[in-house]
Amino acid sequence: MNANGLGLHIVFTGAPGCGKGTQARILKEKIDIPHLSTGEMLRAEAAKGTPLGLQIKELIDGGNLVPDEMIIKMLSERIDQDDCKNGFILDGFPRTLPQAEVLDDMLVKKGIKLDAVIEIQVPDEIIMERILGRYSCMTCGAGYHDKFQKPKVYGVCDVCGGTDFYRRVDDNRATVQNRLVNYRALTYPTIPFFEKKGLLRCVDGTGTIEATAKKVSDLLGIAK
Ligand code: AMP
């Protein structure tokens, strides 16, 4: 594996709210390869308000997964784009065993080898507290939390100075419970799949964002 990040192909996995999106964004800043979040791709499609978008929105808002075929096609096209030629960080994919199997096949066909699948481990009680308190800047997307990560000045984004914020529609107690049920039933089986391939690396995600980021950098051999 290249310690400068060149050619790195990483998957972040773990329960909703474990911090995989946050860690993927931090890693992207460090090694400058694209962060591919299937959740963000789907939310962008949903926001278009097309018939497909509305169908996706209903599934996301209910805490359910979108059909494998739909997301696989979207991801495969994204990986083929030029900016992914030096690697990518997958966040939120694969989320089912069929997705993991298709990813495996797809990467073999594209001549790409995964370097690591990083599972961020966080217990359910912590997850609920994290998800229910999180929100983002409407302008630049920077993430905040009611308790753990407040902006330095109340109501003003630290990064861009924006003053409008939003919470995800699926970040409510009932939907999070359904997302956790779906995680255990549908996504968790991908963990032994990657473990058998010798790709699984587990990181304790209960500490601060910085502490978890350091663990991720250490295990990838990134010296910053
Ligand atoms: P996330 O932003 O990763 O929490 O994803 C938000 C929502 O998008 C999920 O709850 C699913 O409804 C949908 N989603 C994201 N990634 C996938 C995927 N790989 N397969 C199916 N649905 C997905």
Side-chain angles (χ1 to χ4, degrees), residues 38-39 42-43 60 64-66 71 92-93 95 99 168 179:
T38 46
L42 290 166
R43 281 188 288 279
I60 293 181
N64 296 307
L65 299 187
V66 308
I71 189 69
F93 188 97
R95 239 180 173 103
Q99 288 181 18
R168 278 170 49 173
R179 284 158 67 193

